[in-house]
Structures are given as C-alpha cells and as structure tokens.
Amino acid sequence: FHLISELSRTVALALRLFGNMMSGHMVVILLVALVGPLVPIPLMALDLLIGFLQAYIFTALAAVFIGAGLEASEPV
C-alpha cells in the first residue's frame, strides 16, 4: 500500500500539471475560433507564463516528495 501511495502522489501531480496546461490551451483555441487569431495573443503569453510556473511548481513538489522518500528510507 505504501508503494501505491507514493506512485499515486506522483501521478496526481503529473495529471494536475497536464490539466492546468491543457485548460489554458483550450481557452486559447476557443477564443481563436470565436473572435479571430489576433485577439488571444495576450492570453497566449499568459498561458506560456502559467505553463512555466506550473512546471516549476511540479518540479519543486517532486523534489520535496523524492527527498522525503529518500529521507524516510535511510536507516537511523
């Protein structure tokens, strides 16, 4: 059960990152379809910034979880 818990945490982080990045792309696609290609340019820049921020958060959380896992497995 512990192994499943550790793997599910990483998979949940990956799915969260994917969902956040995909939602930004979907908003831009809908705006391009509705109003034209030039209007959503600021949203594309914001989506890029949010993607980098989400990737940074995912990396930081993964590093914390990996560090905690290695710390817990070391003998005292």
Side-chain angles (χ1 to χ4, degrees), residues 48-66:
L48 187 64
L49 175 69
I50 290 172
F52 281 125
L53 182 64
Q54 288 292 329
Y56 173 74
I57 290 170
F58 176 78
T59 304
L61 287 174
V64 167
F65 291 145
I66 290 170

PDB file of all heavy atoms in Angstrom, residues 48-66:
ATOM      1  N   LEU A  48       1.613  30.821 -21.546  1.00  0.00           N
ATOM      2  CA  LEU A  48       3.021  30.414 -21.516  1.00  0.00           C
ATOM      3  C   LEU A  48       3.626  30.647 -20.131  1.00  0.00           C
ATOM      4  O   LEU A  48       4.321  29.776 -19.588  1.00  0.00           O
ATOM      5  CB  LEU A  48       3.809  31.171 -22.578  1.00  0.00           C
ATOM      6  CG  LEU A  48       5.254  30.763 -22.793  1.00  0.00           C
ATOM      7  CD1 LEU A  48       5.329  29.338 -23.309  1.00  0.00           C
ATOM      8  CD2 LEU A  48       5.925  31.718 -23.760  1.00  0.00           C
ATOM      9  N   LEU A  49       3.328  31.799 -19.541  1.00  0.00           N
ATOM     10  CA  LEU A  49       3.824  32.103 -18.195  1.00  0.00           C
ATOM     11  C   LEU A  49       3.264  31.110 -17.179  1.00  0.00           C
ATOM     12  O   LEU A  49       3.991  30.604 -16.320  1.00  0.00           O
ATOM     13  CB  LEU A  49       3.451  33.538 -17.807  1.00  0.00           C
ATOM     14  CG  LEU A  49       3.793  33.946 -16.391  1.00  0.00           C
ATOM     15  CD1 LEU A  49       5.306  34.033 -16.228  1.00  0.00           C
ATOM     16  CD2 LEU A  49       3.140  35.262 -16.054  1.00  0.00           C
ATOM     17  N   ILE A  50       1.977  30.828 -17.278  1.00  0.00           N
ATOM     18  CA  ILE A  50       1.354  29.879 -16.359  1.00  0.00           C
ATOM     19  C   ILE A  50       1.939  28.480 -16.542  1.00  0.00           C
ATOM     20  O   ILE A  50       2.149  27.748 -15.573  1.00  0.00           O
ATOM     21  CB  ILE A  50      -0.171  29.882 -16.543  1.00  0.00           C
ATOM     22  CG1 ILE A  50      -0.744  31.202 -16.025  1.00  0.00           C
ATOM     23  CG2 ILE A  50      -0.835  28.704 -15.838  1.00  0.00           C
ATOM     24  CD1 ILE A  50      -2.196  31.411 -16.328  1.00  0.00           C
ATOM     25  N   GLY A  51       2.240  28.099 -17.775  1.00  0.00           N
ATOM     26  CA  GLY A  51       2.861  26.794 -18.027  1.00  0.00           C
ATOM     27  C   GLY A  51       4.225  26.672 -17.366  1.00  0.00           C
ATOM     28  O   GLY A  51       4.538  25.657 -16.746  1.00  0.00           O
ATOM     29  N   PHE A  52       5.041  27.724 -17.475  1.00  0.00           N
ATOM     30  CA  PHE A  52       6.341  27.706 -16.810  1.00  0.00           C
ATOM     31  C   PHE A  52       6.188  27.663 -15.297  1.00  0.00           C
ATOM     32  O   PHE A  52       6.917  26.943 -14.608  1.00  0.00           O
ATOM     33  CB  PHE A  52       7.175  28.927 -17.199  1.00  0.00           C
ATOM     34  CG  PHE A  52       7.824  28.807 -18.545  1.00  0.00           C
ATOM     35  CD1 PHE A  52       7.617  29.767 -19.518  1.00  0.00           C
ATOM     36  CD2 PHE A  52       8.648  27.736 -18.853  1.00  0.00           C
ATOM     37  CE1 PHE A  52       8.207  29.667 -20.761  1.00  0.00           C
ATOM     38  CE2 PHE A  52       9.254  27.617 -20.086  1.00  0.00           C
ATOM     39  CZ  PHE A  52       9.022  28.586 -21.053  1.00  0.00           C
ATOM     40  N   LEU A  53       5.231  28.403 -14.776  1.00  0.00           N
ATOM     41  CA  LEU A  53       5.005  28.411 -13.332  1.00  0.00           C
ATOM     42  C   LEU A  53       4.543  27.036 -12.851  1.00  0.00           C
ATOM     43  O   LEU A  53       5.024  26.543 -11.821  1.00  0.00           O
ATOM     44  CB  LEU A  53       3.967  29.478 -12.974  1.00  0.00           C
ATOM     45  CG  LEU A  53       3.657  29.638 -11.504  1.00  0.00           C
ATOM     46  CD1 LEU A  53       4.895  30.106 -10.759  1.00  0.00           C
ATOM     47  CD2 LEU A  53       2.526  30.631 -11.325  1.00  0.00           C
ATOM     48  N   GLN A  54       3.635  26.413 -13.574  1.00  0.00           N
ATOM     49  CA  GLN A  54       3.176  25.079 -13.193  1.00  0.00           C
ATOM     50  C   GLN A  54       4.300  24.049 -13.273  1.00  0.00           C
ATOM     51  O   GLN A  54       4.398  23.167 -12.416  1.00  0.00           O
ATOM     52  CB  GLN A  54       2.009  24.648 -14.083  1.00  0.00           C
ATOM     53  CG  GLN A  54       0.729  25.382 -13.809  1.00  0.00           C
ATOM     54  CD  GLN A  54       0.148  25.042 -12.456  1.00  0.00           C
ATOM     55  OE1 GLN A  54       0.305  23.932 -11.956  1.00  0.00           O
ATOM     56  NE2 GLN A  54      -0.521  26.000 -11.868  1.00  0.00           N
ATOM     57  N   ALA A  55       5.141  24.146 -14.289  1.00  0.00           N
ATOM     58  CA  ALA A  55       6.270  23.216 -14.400  1.00  0.00           C
ATOM     59  C   ALA A  55       7.246  23.408 -13.237  1.00  0.00           C
ATOM     60  O   ALA A  55       7.767  22.426 -12.693  1.00  0.00           O
ATOM     61  CB  ALA A  55       6.985  23.420 -15.729  1.00  0.00           C
ATOM     62  N   TYR A  56       7.459  24.662 -12.843  1.00  0.00           N
ATOM     63  CA  TYR A  56       8.340  24.932 -11.691  1.00  0.00           C
ATOM     64  C   TYR A  56       7.744  24.349 -10.408  1.00  0.00           C
ATOM     65  O   TYR A  56       8.455  23.706  -9.624  1.00  0.00           O
ATOM     66  CB  TYR A  56       8.558  26.439 -11.541  1.00  0.00           C
ATOM     67  CG  TYR A  56       9.303  26.800 -10.291  1.00  0.00           C
ATOM     68  CD1 TYR A  56      10.671  26.569 -10.184  1.00  0.00           C
ATOM     69  CD2 TYR A  56       8.643  27.337  -9.199  1.00  0.00           C
ATOM     70  CE1 TYR A  56      11.359  26.885  -9.027  1.00  0.00           C
ATOM     71  CE2 TYR A  56       9.321  27.659  -8.039  1.00  0.00           C
ATOM     72  CZ  TYR A  56      10.678  27.431  -7.952  1.00  0.00           C
ATOM     73  OH  TYR A  56      11.347  27.736  -6.808  1.00  0.00           O
ATOM     74  N   ILE A  57       6.450  24.552 -10.203  1.00  0.00           N
ATOM     75  CA  ILE A  57       5.795  24.023  -9.004  1.00  0.00           C
ATOM     76  C   ILE A  57       5.846  22.496  -9.008  1.00  0.00           C
ATOM     77  O   ILE A  57       6.132  21.874  -7.974  1.00  0.00           O
ATOM     78  CB  ILE A  57       4.347  24.532  -8.912  1.00  0.00           C
ATOM     79  CG1 ILE A  57       4.347  26.025  -8.606  1.00  0.00           C
ATOM     80  CG2 ILE A  57       3.549  23.770  -7.857  1.00  0.00           C
ATOM     81  CD1 ILE A  57       2.992  26.681  -8.716  1.00  0.00           C
ATOM     82  N   PHE A  58       5.590  21.878 -10.160  1.00  0.00           N
ATOM     83  CA  PHE A  58       5.652  20.418 -10.253  1.00  0.00           C
ATOM     84  C   PHE A  58       7.056  19.916  -9.910  1.00  0.00           C
ATOM     85  O   PHE A  58       7.215  18.950  -9.175  1.00  0.00           O
ATOM     86  CB  PHE A  58       5.260  19.971 -11.659  1.00  0.00           C
ATOM     87  CG  PHE A  58       5.394  18.496 -11.879  1.00  0.00           C
ATOM     88  CD1 PHE A  58       4.449  17.626 -11.399  1.00  0.00           C
ATOM     89  CD2 PHE A  58       6.485  17.986 -12.571  1.00  0.00           C
ATOM     90  CE1 PHE A  58       4.570  16.265 -11.604  1.00  0.00           C
ATOM     91  CE2 PHE A  58       6.610  16.632 -12.774  1.00  0.00           C
ATOM     92  CZ  PHE A  58       5.657  15.773 -12.291  1.00  0.00           C
ATOM     93  N   THR A  59       8.084  20.594 -10.443  1.00  0.00           N
ATOM     94  CA  THR A  59       9.460  20.183 -10.178  1.00  0.00           C
ATOM     95  C   THR A  59       9.800  20.329  -8.700  1.00  0.00           C
ATOM     96  O   THR A  59      10.422  19.440  -8.106  1.00  0.00           O
ATOM     97  CB  THR A  59      10.433  21.007 -11.036  1.00  0.00           C
ATOM     98  OG1 THR A  59      10.074  20.859 -12.405  1.00  0.00           O
ATOM     99  CG2 THR A  59      11.860  20.558 -10.820  1.00  0.00           C
ATOM    100  N   ALA A  60       9.389  21.446  -8.104  1.00  0.00           N
ATOM    101  CA  ALA A  60       9.675  21.668  -6.686  1.00  0.00           C
ATOM    102  C   ALA A  60       8.968  20.626  -5.818  1.00  0.00           C
ATOM    103  O   ALA A  60       9.579  20.062  -4.896  1.00  0.00           O
ATOM    104  CB  ALA A  60       9.255  23.072  -6.286  1.00  0.00           C
ATOM    105  N   LEU A  61       7.689  20.361  -6.096  1.00  0.00           N
ATOM    106  CA  LEU A  61       6.971  19.365  -5.303  1.00  0.00           C
ATOM    107  C   LEU A  61       7.540  17.966  -5.506  1.00  0.00           C
ATOM    108  O   LEU A  61       7.648  17.196  -4.548  1.00  0.00           O
ATOM    109  CB  LEU A  61       5.489  19.384  -5.654  1.00  0.00           C
ATOM    110  CG  LEU A  61       4.692  20.579  -5.132  1.00  0.00           C
ATOM    111  CD1 LEU A  61       3.280  20.542  -5.667  1.00  0.00           C
ATOM    112  CD2 LEU A  61       4.703  20.615  -3.627  1.00  0.00           C
ATOM    113  N   ALA A  62       7.918  17.639  -6.727  1.00  0.00           N
ATOM    114  CA  ALA A  62       8.519  16.325  -6.974  1.00  0.00           C
ATOM    115  C   ALA A  62       9.832  16.197  -6.211  1.00  0.00           C
ATOM    116  O   ALA A  62      10.114  15.139  -5.633  1.00  0.00           O
ATOM    117  CB  ALA A  62       8.738  16.117  -8.468  1.00  0.00           C
ATOM    118  N   ALA A  63      10.636  17.260  -6.190  1.00  0.00           N
ATOM    119  CA  ALA A  63      11.902  17.215  -5.451  1.00  0.00           C
ATOM    120  C   ALA A  63      11.656  17.044  -3.953  1.00  0.00           C
ATOM    121  O   ALA A  63      12.360  16.276  -3.277  1.00  0.00           O
ATOM    122  CB  ALA A  63      12.708  18.476  -5.717  1.00  0.00           C
ATOM    123  N   VAL A  64      10.654  17.721  -3.419  1.00  0.00           N
ATOM    124  CA  VAL A  64      10.329  17.582  -1.997  1.00  0.00           C
ATOM    125  C   VAL A  64       9.867  16.163  -1.689  1.00  0.00           C
ATOM    126  O   VAL A  64      10.301  15.557  -0.698  1.00  0.00           O
ATOM    127  CB  VAL A  64       9.252  18.616  -1.590  1.00  0.00           C
ATOM    128  CG1 VAL A  64       8.676  18.297  -0.223  1.00  0.00           C
ATOM    129  CG2 VAL A  64       9.841  20.010  -1.604  1.00  0.00           C
ATOM    130  N   PHE A  65       8.991  15.614  -2.540  1.00  0.00           N
ATOM    131  CA  PHE A  65       8.495  14.261  -2.300  1.00  0.00           C
ATOM    132  C   PHE A  65       9.607  13.227  -2.439  1.00  0.00           C
ATOM    133  O   PHE A  65       9.680  12.280  -1.657  1.00  0.00           O
ATOM    134  CB  PHE A  65       7.349  13.932  -3.241  1.00  0.00           C
ATOM    135  CG  PHE A  65       6.094  14.705  -2.949  1.00  0.00           C
ATOM    136  CD1 PHE A  65       5.277  15.106  -3.983  1.00  0.00           C
ATOM    137  CD2 PHE A  65       5.732  15.048  -1.657  1.00  0.00           C
ATOM    138  CE1 PHE A  65       4.123  15.814  -3.729  1.00  0.00           C
ATOM    139  CE2 PHE A  65       4.590  15.765  -1.397  1.00  0.00           C
ATOM    140  CZ  PHE A  65       3.775  16.148  -2.434  1.00  0.00           C
ATOM    141  N   ILE A  66      10.477  13.389  -3.413  1.00  0.00           N
ATOM    142  CA  ILE A  66      11.593  12.458  -3.576  1.00  0.00           C
ATOM    143  C   ILE A  66      12.539  12.564  -2.387  1.00  0.00           C
ATOM    144  O   ILE A  66      13.005  11.560  -1.846  1.00  0.00           O
ATOM    145  CB  ILE A  66      12.324  12.714  -4.906  1.00  0.00           C
ATOM    146  CG1 ILE A  66      11.439  12.292  -6.076  1.00  0.00           C
ATOM    147  CG2 ILE A  66      13.657  11.967  -4.956  1.00  0.00           C
ATOM    148  CD1 ILE A  66      11.957  12.718  -7.436  1.00  0.00           C
TER     149      ILE A  66
END
